[in-house]
Amino acid sequence: MGKRNSGYSEAGLRRIRDVLARHVESGKIPGVVALVSRGEETHVEAIGTMRHDGGPPMLRDTIFRMASTSKPVAMAAAMILLDECRLRLDDLVHPWLPELADRQVLKRIDGPLDDTVPARRPITVRDVLTSTFGLGMDMTSLGTPIMNAVFEQGLTPNLPEPMPEPDEWMRRLGALPLMHQPGERWQYHIASDLLGVLVSRVTGQSYETFLRERIFDPLGMKDTSFHVPADKIDRLPPLYAPDPRTGEFIVWDEAEGGRHSQPPAFQGGGGGLASTADDYHAYFRMLLNHGMHGSERILSRPAVQLMTTNRLTAEQQAARYDMAVNNVHISFGQGQHGGWGFGMAVRTYRGDYAPIGQFGWDGGSGTSTYADPDNQLTGILLTQVGASVPDPARLFHDFWTTVYQALDD
C-alpha cells in the first residue's frame, strides 16, 4: 500500500470524477453514484439527478435496483449453509427440490421439448451453485423451443408478467426438460433464482429473512432488500430502458407503484435486490477480509475462497467464454473475465485493466460491482439506465479504466 494516503493519485481520482461527469453531461446517463475504496480509505462520487429530466440529485444513499449484481450477494446464504453442514456440495438436491428429480435432457438445444434422453445423473448442490445444473438463460439460443418456454412460463424476471411464488415457479421449472446434462455446461441466471428456493426450503425461512438475519443485519446493510418500503421509496430513481433506435428515455419501472414498491411473490437471488453503494461496499469488503466484518465472522475463509475463485472446468468454461466473446452485440462487450465462482465472475486472464483474481458482476439495470484482492480494492458503480443501449456498458468500462489508472503505488 505504501506510506502515502490510499494508493490513489489525486490526479487519478480527479479523472474518475471527470469521466463520470462526462457521461452524465452527455445526456445519456441521468445520474450516477460511484464508490471506490482501498484499504481504509473510501471515495464516493454522486453526480447528476435521479430522473433524466432533472428532479432530486443522486445522493450517496440513493437506492438502486441491483439486478444481476444481486447474484454475488444472494449467494452468501448458501455459503452459510455449507459452513454449518446443513448443505453439502455433492448432496443431491431432490430431497429439497423434488420437482427436479428424474430429469429429461434435450437431445439438441434447438430440438422439440419432447425429444429427450434421461439425465445421466441427478442434480447436485454443486451444480446449482456453479450455475451448471442444466438450465439457464442462453443468449446464443434465443428463439429455440426451450428458451421460448422459459420466457412463456415466467421463469425469468423483467418480463411483463412477474415471476410466480416459489412453489409454482418450481412446478413450472420441473415441467421443462434440461438443456444440458447436469454439471456439463455453465448457463446464466436461472440457478441463482433456484438457489433462493433451495435456501428457503432447507432453512424453513423465507430467503429474505435468512439473508437479513445472517448477512444484511450483521453487515449493517440496512437498505438492502427485495423491495423498497414506502418510507424509502423517494430514494429510488426510476429505471430507464432507453429506446435503442431513438435513445428516448422510456421508464421501464417507476419507483412508486413499480416492481420494487411491494414485496415480490418471488424473492429472486438472480436479480431482485435493491441496495446502496455503502451496503454493497460492506459486503464486498467482508469478502476481501476473508469473511470477517470487524471482529465478527460472517463466512468462513474457505467459503469465501470457493465463491471468489474459478470453479469451472475447461469444458464448462466454453459457454462462459461464448457469452463474453460472441455476445458483444447484445451485451455491448461485458468484458472478458474468463471464469465463474459461485454467483459471480472471476478474472482468470487479463482482458483489460483489472488483474487476475478480481471478482464480482454487472447488472442489466446499470450496476457494476467488483472487488480485487490484489489491490485490496472495491469499486461500485450505480445508475438506473438499462442495457437496452450501449451507454451503461461504456460507462462501466470507463469507470473501471479510471479506477485502475488512478492506482498510484
Side-chain angles (χ1 to χ4, degrees):
M1 287 287 293
K3 299 252 187 316
R4 286 167 299 151
N5 55 23
S6 61
Y8 280 112
S9 70
E10 283 305 315
L13 289 174
R14 270 199 309 279
R15 183 174 286 160
I16 295 176
R17 182 179 173 83
D18 291 347
V19 167
L20 295 176
R22 197 158 76 215
H23 279 272
V24 171
E25 285 153 15
S26 75
K28 301 284 174 55
I29 304 285
V32 57
V33 175
L35 180 150
V36 184
S37 85
R38 197 166 184 213
E40 293 307 304
E41 187 148 327
T42 303
H43 188 78
V44 179
E45 299 286 358
I47 305 172
T49 54
M50 284 174 51
R51 305 190 72 93
H52 90 93
D53 46 8
M58 282 286 185
L59 300 170
R60 181 167 179 162
D61 72 348
T62 295
I63 296 172
F64 294 85
R65 299 161 193 78
M66 299 307 294
S68 287
T69 57
S70 304
K71 291 177 169 73
V73 173
M75 180 55 70
M79 306 315 290
I80 286 173
L81 295 179
L82 291 176
D83 275 344
E84 296 179 352
C85 299
R86 293 159 81 181
L87 276 180
R88 299 179 199 92
L89 283 169
D90 293 305
D91 277 345
L92 308 185
V93 296
H94 63 246
W96 295 287
L97 306 173
E99 299 90 342
L100 297 183
D102 306 318
R103 295 289 74 203
Q104 291 289 311
V105 183
L106 288 175
K107 283 187 186 163
R108 39 181 295 178
I109 191 81
D110 56 354
L113 297 185
D114 56 0
D115 189 17
T116 60
V117 294
R120 285 196 290 266
R121 64 165 177 77
I123 295 168
T124 65
V125 172
R126 186 188 301 271
D127 297 331
V128 176
L129 296 196
T130 53
S131 232
T132 60
F133 83 99
L135 272 174
M137 300 288 297
D138 189 339
M139 294 309 179
T140 54
S141 304
L142 294 176
T144 54
I146 184 68
M147 281 304 296
N148 290 346
V150 164
F151 290 134
E152 283 157 15
Q153 291 296 314
L155 293 174
T156 61
N158 298 332
L159 299 172
E161 284 303 297
M163 287 163 69
E165 50 81 32
D167 290 350
E168 171 60 16
W169 187 86
M170 285 303 306
R171 189 191 68 74
R172 296 181 192 181
L173 191 70
L176 296 177
L178 300 181
M179 298 157 89
H180 297 284
Q181 289 286 343
E184 184 178 70
R185 197 176 162 96
W186 180 87
Q187 290 190 283
Y188 188 52
H189 184 77
I190 293 178
S192 298
D193 282 336
L194 181 60
L195 178 83
V197 183
L198 178 62
V199 167
S200 176
R201 289 186 178 177
V202 170
T203 60
Q205 294 179 290
S206 82
Y207 189 31
E208 180 162 32
T209 300
F210 187 73
L211 277 166
R212 170 149 291 116
E213 289 178 3
R214 305 302 303 273
I215 302 292
F216 300 161
D217 284 352
L219 286 171
M221 296 172 69
K222 60 186 188 300
D223 291 321
T224 304
S225 65
F226 287 107
H227 85 287
V228 181
D231 60 347
K232 296 181 182 179
I233 199 86
D234 60 324
R235 288 162 55 193
L236 181 73
L239 171 59
Y240 296 104
D243 183 317
R245 292 180 304 279
T246 64
E248 178 200 351
F249 278 93
I250 296 163
V251 175
W252 179 257
D253 186 39
E254 200 44 270
E256 303 228 6
R259 292 163 190 237
H260 275 78
S261 63
Q262 297 292 326
F266 191 99
Q267 296 171 353
L273 290 176
S275 191
T276 61
D278 282 300
D279 279 12
Y280 257 57
H281 180 212
Y283 178 75
F284 276 92
R285 241 176 93 154
M286 177 271 291
L287 296 183
L288 285 180
N289 291 331
H290 313 291
M292 295 296 288
H293 176 68
S295 58
E296 187 177 0
R297 182 159 288 290
I298 309 290
L299 296 175
S300 71
R301 180 183 282 257
V304 173
Q305 286 168 332
L306 269 175
M307 283 173 86
T308 60
T309 55
N310 181 47
R311 300 270 64 79
L312 300 184
T313 65
E315 292 78 22
Q316 294 166 339
Q317 195 85 348
R320 174 83 184 89
Y321 183 77
D322 236 24
M323 179 169 156
V325 178
N326 296 329
N327 256 2
V328 289
H329 57 300
I330 299 173
S331 64
F332 311 113
Q334 274 286 344
Q336 295 182 18
H337 306 85
W340 192 260
F342 290 158
M344 63 189 92
V346 179
R347 286 192 190 272
T348 48
Y349 62 90
R350 189 149 195 164
D352 54 39
Y353 277 42
I356 290 171
Q358 186 208 39
F359 56 80
W361 197 227
D362 304 309
S365 59
T367 54
S368 186
T369 59
Y370 290 85
D372 164 2
D374 260 16
N375 292 294
Q376 285 297 300
L377 176 157
T378 304
I380 294 162
L381 178 82
L382 305 175
T383 73
Q384 295 285 232
V385 179
S388 55
V389 288
D391 306 299
R394 290 172 182 160
L395 171 61
F396 294 173
H397 290 303
D398 291 353
F399 171 67
W400 289 106
T401 298
T402 58
V403 166
Y404 280 103
Q405 64 77 37
L407 291 182
D408 186 27
D409 55 0

